[in-house]
Every structure is written in C-alpha cells, then in structure tokens.
Amino acid sequence: MTLFRRTVLGALAALPLAALPLTASAQETIVLGEVNSYTRLPAFLEPYKKGWELAVEQINAEGGVLGKQLEVISRDDTGDPATAIRIAEELVSKDGAVLIFGTFLSNIGLAVADFAKQKQVLFLASEPLSDALVWSSGNKYTYRLRPSTHMQAAMLAEQAAKLDAVTWATVAPNYAYGQDAVEAFKRELTKLKPDVEFVEEQWPPVFKIDAGSTVRALEQSKPDAIYNVTFGGDLAKFVREGSLRYLFEDRDVVSLLTGEPEYLDPLGNETPEGWIVTGYPSMAIDTEAHDAFETAYMEKWGEKPKTGSIVGYNSILSIKAALEKAGATDTEALLQAMEGLEVPSSPTGPFMFRAADHQSTMGAYVGKTGLVDGEPAMIDWFYADGADYLPSEEEAAKLRPAE
Amino acid sequence: MGFYLAQLLTGLANASSLFLIASGLSIIFGVTRIVNFAHGSFYMVGAYMSYTLVTLWSGSILGYWGGVILAAAAVGLIGLVIEMTILRRIYRAPELFQLVATFGVVLIFQDLTQAVWGAEDLLGPRAPGLDSAVRIFGEPIPEYDLALIAIGPAVLLAIWLVFHRTRWGVLVRAATQDREMVGALGVNQAWLFSAAFVLGAFLAGLGGALQIPREAVSLQMDLSIIGEAFVVVVIGGMGSVTGAFVAAVLISVLNAFAILIFPQVSIVLPFVVMAVVLIVRPYGLFGKPGSEHGAPVEPEQPLTLMGQKGLMVMIAAVFVLALSPLAVADFTTILLVDVMVATLFAVSLHFMMGVGGMVSFGHAAYFGVGAYAAAMGVKYFGLGMVPSMALAPFCAAAAALFFGWFCVRLSGVYLAMLTLAAAQILWGVTFQWQDFTGGDDGILGVWPAQWASSDRVYFYIAFVLCIGGIWLLRRAAHSPFGYTLRGVRDSRTRAEAIGVDTRFHQWMGFTLAGTLAGLAGVVFAFSKGSVFPDTLGIALSIDGLIMVLLGGIHALAGPIYGAVAFVMIEDWVTRLDYWRFIFGAIILVVVLLAPDGIAGGVHRLVRMIRGGKA
C-alpha cells in the first residue's frame, strides 16, 4: 500500500507546471538534492537508495541536523547526462536543495561535477569511480566518497605483487572505467614488481561480452595470472565460460569489485574459489558500528546490506557531518566544512575528505572469493584503509587543474 | 589448428543464438512490415520465464528442455495478445508508425520484468547432461555450445519446411512479396499476420530461453540484443530467414577472430559489416529489390500553406514563448530550452522523413557532430562561443554530406539502417578515440560566454537559433526545392521522367536536415556544459524518431507536437515510480487514439468541434 500511496503522492507533487514552491516546509527542513540512474542500473541502486533512506530516517528520529529535519528529493536521471543536468538545475533552483549528491555512472558524475562548478553548488559524488572526477577534472565544488578506481586497483596490485605470477593478461569492459582500472593496475604492479609482463588484453564492450571468444583469446596467451575488471552480467558470463574452458585452472585471478555482493551473489554456487578481490563482506563484519547498522538495515528492509547500502548510508553521514561543522547551509560554509572533513564513525570505520584532492579516505575490503555453506562469500578479508592507497596530498594536488 | 577450430566453434555457437532472435524479427518484418523494437523484450521475457521454469524443474533433462519450450510458447502467447490488442488496430497507419507502439511495449516490459523478477541478475542452472566441456583436438569445447550449433540449423530447417511444405508457409511467403495480392485472393490477412507475429515472438522467446546456461538473466538483455538483431536481419535481407542465418554466422565468426587481433573492435564490428554489405548490395545479401514494397501506400495529402487563422495562432504561440522568461521561474526556461532543442531536432528529422521520404535511424549522428564540434571549438581551438556556434553546423553539414552520399543510394528500411550504421561508426570512433574526443568521459566545461551565462539570456539565444532553424526548414518545405523533394518521395520514376536529378535532391535534403540537427546539437552543448558520446547514440536517434512519428508524419506541425509532448511528458513522468510503465502506457493510448499521430488527432478534434458548432 505504501507503494501505491507513494505513487499517488508522487504524481500529485509532481504535476509539472503547478509550480507552487513548497516554501511552507522550507523553514523546518534542509533539502538535499539526489540524482541517480535508478531505472538504468536498478540492481546496484536499489540497495544504495535503501542505505540513504535508512540514514535519513535515523538522523531525523534523533532530531535532525542543526535542529531541522533532513529531506531528500531523489530523482531518476534515466542514465542520460543531459537529463541529470536538467534535474540538478531543478533541484537547486526550484526545490531549494542546499547541495547535490548521488550519481553512479562516471560520465554522469563528471557532467554533474562540471555543472556544480558552473552553478557554484556543492556536489558529493557518492558512487562514480572515475579518477578524473577528483584529479584531472577535479574542481572546487566536487567531492567524492567511494574509493576510486585507482585506490581499488592499488589495493589489488599490492596483493598481486605477492604472487609468483610474472605474465599477466587483462580483461576489462571497453570504456573509461575499464581503461582506467587496467592502467592503474599495470602502473602500480610494475612499481611493486618491475619484472611483470602484460602479455594480452581483452576489451569486450560493456554488458555485451562475447565470453567464449574472450576466454579463448586469454587462454591462447597462456598467462600466469589474469586481472579482471568485468562486472555484472559480463562477469557471470565470463566466469561460466571461463570455468567451462578451464581458464582458471592453476591460475591466479585478481578481480576488481567482484567481492561486492551486487556482483558476487548472482554467481551462486558457481562462485570461483580463491580470486583476490575488492568488495564488501557485509554480515561478516563484526565492528560495533557495523553491527548497529546491519541490525537496523535488516530490520527496516529485511535483507542484508550490500555495497550500495554502505555508500548510500555513508553519503548521508558525510553530509550530516558537513552540515554540523558548517553550522549553516550556504555553499561557502559547506565548502569550507568539506575541506578535511572528518566522519568519526561509520559502519566501515572513520574516514575523512582530503582537502588537497577532495577524495574521501573511505576504504574497501580486500579478500578472496569462496563458498561458505554453499553461499558466495569473501574469505580471509581485511579492511584496506583508503588513505594508504592514495598519493600524498602534495602529489594529488598536482594532478588537479589550477583553480 | 585446434585453437582456430575452437574459436570457429565458439563463433558458430554465438551465431545460433543470434540467428534465433533475428529469424523471428525477419519473419515479422517480412509479413507485417512492423519494425519490432519489442523483439528484444520478447527475448528477455523468454529468458526470465525459462529461468523460473528451469530452476523449478532443475536437474532433469526433460525439465530443462520442457521449460525452454514452454517459456518460448508463453512468449508466443504474449506476442499474440500484443498483436491482437494493439498492432492489429494500427496496420493502416502510416509506414513505421507501429514502431512507436512497439517502443511503448518495450518500456512497459522493462518495468514489468523488474517488478516480477527483481533487479538483481539471475544465474540459472546449466543444462543437465550438457554441463561440461569435451576436448576436440585437445581444446575444451562446451557441450552446450555444440548443442547450440546443432539447434541453429535445425530451426532453420524447420522454418524452411514450414514455409515450403505447408499451405500457411506458402501464404506467408506470398505475403512477404505482395500482401495486397494475397489479400485480394481472399486470404484472411489478419490471421496470417497474427500467426507470423506469434511465430516471431516464439523464436525470440526460444532464443532467450536457450541463453540460460550461458549467461545471467538481466534487465539489460532487451536493449543489448536488439541492435545486433536488426543488423543481422538487414545484412541477410529483410524477410529472408536464410539470409539471417548466413549473416549471423558471418558476424559471430568474424567477431570471434577479430578480437584476437584488435580487441576493441567489438563495439562497431557489426555496423561496419552492415555498412559494407549495404554499400555493395543495397538490399542485403539475400533480399530482393522488390521486397520492401507492398505496404499499403496511402497517397499523401499535399502540404498546404497555413491559413490565416492558423498563422495567427502560430505567431501568438511563438510570441508567448518569447515572453515566457518574464513570467516563469528560471528552471522552467531551462526546460523550455530543452523543448526547443528537441523540437528543432525532430523538425529536421521530419524534413528528411516526411518531406524527403528518407527514414533515418541515425539522425543523432549529426546532432552529436554539431555538439562535439562546438565543444572542441571552445576547448581545443580556443574559439569563443559565437564562432564555435557558427562553425559547428558546417561540421555537421560535412558529415551529412559524406554519409548522405552513400545513404541516398538506398531506399526504405535499408537506407534507415545505413544511417544507423553511420551513426554507430561515428559513435564508436568518438567513444574509442580518447585522446581527441575524451572517450566516454566526454568534453567538460562547454559553458556559454560570460555575457550569455544567465539562464534568461541563453534562453533567447536558443530561441533565436531554434525558432530560426524551424522557420528555415518550414520555408524550405514550401520552396521549389521542397516541392521537388516531395515529388521524388511520392514517385521517383515520374520525378526522373520530368528531368529531376532525384539523388542529388535527396542528397541535398539529407544534408540540410543534418545541418539543422547539428544546429540543435550546438544549442544543446552550451546549455548542458558538457558533451558525451550519448549525443550520437541510438537512444537519441530513436527518441527523435518517436517524436516525429508520434507527432504525425504527414503534417509539418507533427514533429513540433511530438517533441513538445515527448519532452514534457518525460520530464513529468520520470518523477514517479514505475515511470517507464506509465510512459509506455501513455504512448500506447496516444497510438490507439490517434493512429495518424498527434497532429492528425488534433486536426480531427478541431474539425469535430467546428462541426459541432455549425
């Protein structure tokens, strides 16, 4: 019934040109604008939405922030950067949002970041992984929460360097994310172990992998180890065709993001054993902060939290910390607060936003894939603090364009 | 040796999958002339249903194959319902209009599937008895691949037998060649069409169901297969099932070997192959020159100059638009800029389709070239906003001039598919050539100059350019050039007989449409501040197509109605949960109420009101 009610209320609230501004409530609430590709990538964004909804509910139950309730206006960008820009504009100029957060796809993240710079509004990029967002295209108004492509690739390179493998083959989806991930891994691994050799690379189109042929091409180069960046449907296909063709026999596989429940769970009992991955072991984490989060999440949504849930939840925690530090909701105060902002406690532990490059130090979990009681899981994992995998603040500042 | 054989077998297994979905598409088009976008949805629903059944009966061989057949049959049934409740009512609508209805169906199925099966990818069981690999020349080959390699030709044989050994099949082939004649001979066309549609849907469902052991079932399946399926059908020749088989083998085997040499090639390979085939053989490998005719051709009403009242209404509307920034909020002016951009884009596409008679599935190419040229002018060549704006449409014109030269040599759906190939190749280059175009990270920071940066000032810039462009195209439609173009559209033979250089006129019409689409792209680039390869993508081309067809292709005002309605409805509806379902339903309602498009519907409404008064 709530679904029906939400639909009807949504329909009423959204009648287009009945632009009665909701100024009545503006006194008691702080409006946050959120934009994401909900219909394009529902598998990853439903947990994310559940995560931030939980955080907002908890914060409001405790009396809100600065004595006001938080209100998130969330919109679907349909996976199109141009639509995302239009929505961001509406959130800021019509709905009175004090900042924008969200986005998943890197190109939409970049488009909204550029918009934030032009319109001078704070943008917290929750999910996009692109290095460009905080480095080559970084700007004063954009911060990013999730550990970036570079950070996660560096975490894996550190583990990969401990292996005996010398010849490597890579497989990555053919777009910016895949290219960045392969480049970062090559760079970091060569730094740690100069004698490695990359003998083959495959670039299947994203979500359209011809897995059989790709597996054959990798096999032909007879590498000691494989670095995989494919995810989602491509990953399932790759794993299935690869194991059918014995590609993973006696071979190390290092795989980006594969330990995230969004990607790992669908593999079911075909989950490959012993892949070194970054991800999120969810229920297995036993810290006090995580247990509290986990219990509340399970209670509200009846399912275990996924990576997106954590990202959504931590986004709101970051925003709350920023608002409290700023003591105000205007952009200048918020920007000042974001510089070096510390989030003392979160389900994944404390993290901060670096002043030099606007990247958070939120980390990721590194471990191996395996089956626990027939269910896919991460084993032998540890938490890799993001701060350890970032270039120093001085170096990072040089990667950014001059303001 | 063994390695290359293994690679060949992998390619052939993929070919079988691709053939199953393409054959159904080809049959549906051959008989009913419907360009069925929903074919990918049938494929996806087939996969989901079979996932459910196969998981339910997992482990038994009978359960697996029974589940697959049952899922395909269920999809066939869905096809029947859609054909009888929607498509049957609009067969008499202008050519390609049914495509709008199938687009609505795609949207509805996306939300329905997500609501029923959830958002997470689902990995089904492997096929019992075929769950490992056998070694051939020492290379492991999955048994299921071998099964697929057998199933493809078996289905081809079955279709061949049905078409050549049954009365129904003979009638279907006759209808593919000339459906009016079949109707004149007393054959019940309605049932023939239904049956062909059901067979096509069944094959798509079968194709999807057979994918269970190979891939995880996901919500992206529908759109990720549909483009390639169309390519295969066109390379083979629309309506030719054998052609579809040969084309599927060609594409899949080429891809299996090409990625060994040039791994990035997969994103454009099918489209490059299609472009080459169409340039060499304008009707595909097995298509016949006559096979695109036979659709009911209504004589089009000649365009009339607008009456005095109509002119006044239009001037008033433009005037209101011009004054609107004074009355509405800043945000609304931004929405209005989007509406104007979409309208100019749709009007330029309509000039090509409605006036020029050349359907385009890739009009976004010129929009994107315009946008990219403007962005590069600003970012790389340091030009200001105004010089970039002036220069960019000429870049779009150059691109249209180049691709148009090839395209106007074809006609009908083949021309449309070549425009699609052109757009996809441009998209692929933009996507891949990171150093020059920024790849999919796009080009950022393309904002208007300081003096034009306020929303209101930019609104007026967009207003002048877009309304000016629309006026120019209107003017061109009523000029001698426009009359000649329409003459060529209605009868190429007669136009040639009176000494018109038909190809040259079409070429210039193509170029003019491309140039104005480029202008729309320019306005777009500066209003958004960044450009991405999406601006050249299929999705935008399809949006334009829907705007033109939904608005009504027979009226100059059609694309204006279509674009305004499309953008406004989308802006409103995406605020809701299940908006794709709602949007799809709205489209279907419009399609059923106004088979002549919104313009036709409005026209009838006005006449009815007038009639009522009199």
Side-chain angles (χ1 to χ4, degrees), chain B residues 341-423:
Chain B
V341 168
T343 308
L344 176 57
F345 180 60
V347 169
S348 74
L349 179 58
H350 177 263
F351 186 80
M352 199 170 141
M353 287 172 61
V355 180
M358 298 171 284
V359 178
S360 172
F361 289 169
H363 203 52
Y366 312 104
F367 182 88
V369 169
Y372 264 94
M376 287 177 175
V378 171
K379 295 299 284 185
Y380 297 161
F381 302 107
L383 299 176
M385 179 180 84
V386 175
S388 296
M389 277 187 156
L391 210 62
F394 291 101
C395 298
L401 209 58
F402 176 75
F403 288 115
W405 190 85
F406 293 100
C407 291
V408 298
R409 261 134 249 277
L410 309 181
S411 57
V413 175
Y414 295 97
L415 188 159
M417 289 303 284
L418 191 57
T419 61
L420 174 66

Side-chain angles (χ1 to χ4, degrees), chain A residues 127-372:
Chain A
E127 301 241 23
L129 293 170
S130 165
D131 293 327
L133 198 61
V134 291
W135 291 346
S136 61
S137 300
N139 67 54
K140 185 179 159 194
Y141 296 89
T142 303
Y143 283 79
R144 189 243 310 276
L145 174 68
R146 203 172 165 202
S148 66
T149 312
H150 169 89
M151 291 157 76
Q152 305 217 22
M155 292 169 192
L156 288 179
E158 186 183 58
Q159 300 304 313
K162 294 176 189 162
L163 301 170
D164 297 330
V166 176
T167 55
W168 285 79
T170 65
V171 52
N174 183 14
Y175 72 111
Y177 164 62
Q179 287 146 9
D180 287 353
V182 168
E183 204 187 292
F185 182 77
K186 280 184 177 175
R187 193 177 54 230
E188 294 300 315
L189 183 59
T190 317
K191 231 186 262 174
L192 295 167
K193 200 176 173 187
D195 61 333
V196 292
E197 198 187 335
F198 288 89
V199 292
E200 169 72 22
E201 42 191 61
Q202 277 296 315
W203 300 101
V206 62
F207 295 145
K208 284 188 190 177
I209 190 173
D210 173 358
S213 309
T214 304
V215 164
R216 306 270 330 127
L218 292 173
E219 174 70 52
Q220 190 198 17
S221 68
K222 304 279 178 229
D224 298 336
I226 295 169
Y227 173 60
N228 166 59
V229 190
T230 64
F231 59 93
D234 287 346
L235 175 69
K237 258 174 135 171
F238 178 64
V239 166
R240 194 165 251 187
E241 295 290 331
S243 45
L244 262 177
R245 290 173 167 84
Y246 312 111
L247 177 68
F248 310 127
E249 305 260 300
D250 304 321
R251 242 178 223 139
D252 295 309
V253 180
V254 171
S255 191
L256 202 63
L257 302 190
T258 307
E260 300 193 343
E262 283 89 335
Y263 309 116
L264 192 61
D265 288 356
L267 297 179
N269 59 12
E270 296 191 25
T271 302
E273 301 257 351
W275 284 21
I276 300 169
V277 296
T278 57
Y280 170 58
S282 190
M283 307 293 276
I285 303 170
D286 272 332
T287 63
E288 201 181 314
H290 194 276
D291 283 344
F293 162 74
E294 191 181 294
T295 316
Y297 192 91
M298 291 281 288
E299 204 167 288
K300 183 164 170 66
W301 301 112
E303 61 183 39
K304 67 170 194 175
K306 298 183 175 176
T307 319
S309 324
I310 277 289
V311 176
Y313 194 82
N314 281 356
S315 298
I316 296 293
L317 291 189
S318 308
I319 290 167
K320 172 178 180 252
L323 287 168
E324 278 171 353
K325 186 174 163 194
T329 58
D330 62 290
T331 302
E332 273 313 310
L334 284 172
L335 282 178
Q336 271 186 10
M338 284 303 291
E339 277 193 24
L341 176 76
E342 305 220 357
V343 181
S345 164
S346 85
T348 53
F351 60 92
M352 52 108 50
F353 287 86
R354 308 205 311 172
D357 63 356
H358 295 194
Q359 169 67 43
S360 95
T361 62
M362 179 183 160
Y365 298 83
V366 180
K368 290 186 172 171
T369 56
L371 288 167
V372 175

Side-chain angles (χ1 to χ4, degrees), chain A residues 14 46 76 86 89-90 107 114 118-119 174-176 179 202 210 216 233 237 240 245 266 270 306, chain B residues 3 7 14 114 120 124 126 139 145 212-213 259 331 334 338 431-432 434 440 445 447 575 579:
Chain A
E46 275 180 10
D76 178 17
R86 184 171 79 217
E89 178 88 40
E90 183 179 350
N107 59 355
D114 199 47
Q118 175 76 3
K119 302 283 162 166
N174 183 14
Y175 72 111
Q179 287 146 9
Q202 277 296 315
D210 173 358
R216 306 270 330 127
K237 258 174 135 171
R240 194 165 251 187
R245 290 173 167 84
E270 296 191 25
K306 298 183 175 176
Chain B
F3 173 77
Q7 203 71 354
N14 291 337
Q114 189 180 334
E120 193 172 274
R126 298 188 193 189
E139 298 283 341
D145 277 15
I212 297 298
I259 64 167
F331 163 68
I334 287 168
D338 280 8
F431 194 86
Q432 202 70 58
Q434 244 175 347
D440 57 324
W447 295 101
R575 291 155 205 263
W579 66 264

Side-chain angles (χ1 to χ4, degrees), chain B residues 68-86:
Chain B
V68 166
I69 299 290
L70 208 62
V75 175
L77 205 64
I78 293 174
L80 180 69
V81 171
I82 290 173
E83 202 275 342
M84 287 178 67
T85 53
I86 302 164

